[in-house]
Amino acid sequence: MELGESKAAWRSEMAARKQTCADDVLRRHSMRIWRRVERLPLFRQARCIACYHALPDEVQTAGFLEKWYRDKQILLPAVNGDVMTFLPYEGKNALREGAFHIMEPIRLREELPAEPAVIIVPGMAFDRQRNRLGRGKGYYDRFLSAHPAPAVGVCFQFQLFDRIPVDGHDRKMTWVVTEEETLGLATPFRV
């Protein structure tokens, strides 16, 4: 099987697995994941963080965004064609539906946001070598290759594998955080 076909098969499998999980379970797991992210030294030290507005099957971000956007500058992606940029999140009432039905910030101010010190990244699957399988459009791969900030992949434990298919343009995460594990440059640990 070619790499592209292999990645497509993984995406289909992950979509099917996500559909078997109840919303309340995903919300509980999401809260545990964010508590782990908040304990990372790079998160605690960061003043500007790029994050995302979750789709229903992703690690949920609503509570995390509301908790932190007044203390740290939180940036969310906005897609225009093949380009993904990040704009300041200024509260849930300053969002609009964008590409792929994902909520995006409405640009309220003209100044450019700060460069993120940490980029929090969703994915379809991750592996223990901190590789990421995205949705296949390449938005995060392009953004991450142009921005050297540490990247924190967040996923549910059932999305973490020993190995996933990767190719040369896939950027390795600095950390991968699930509700049960935090994998980083050092040995994985459980809390």
Side-chain angles (χ1 to χ4, degrees), residues 35-54:
R35 283 195 297 268
R36 288 176 164 282
V37 168
E38 292 167 351
R39 288 193 294 246
L40 292 173
L42 58 91
F43 173 81
R44 288 194 311 263
Q45 296 165 3
R47 296 302 309 144
C48 181
I49 297 167
C51 195
Y52 64 97
H53 195 281

Side-chain angles (χ1 to χ4, degrees), residues 1-12 133 164-166:
M1 183 183 301
E2 289 185 28
L3 182 62
E5 292 171 344
S6 177
K7 284 185 168 187
W10 275 84
R11 288 183 185 103
S12 294
L133 177 68
I164 60 171
V166 294

Side-chain angles (χ1 to χ4, degrees), residues 151-183:
V152 177
V154 293
C155 68
F156 302 112
Q157 190 70 30
F158 67 82
Q159 295 173 272
L160 181 64
F161 296 89
D162 287 335
R163 291 227 179 261
I164 60 171
V166 294
D167 54 41
H169 70 268
D170 294 328
R171 177 164 163 211
K172 192 177 290 275
M173 301 290 101
T174 309
W175 296 88
V176 174
V177 179
T178 76
E179 70 274 15
E180 296 178 16
E181 297 181 70
T182 301
L183 303 170

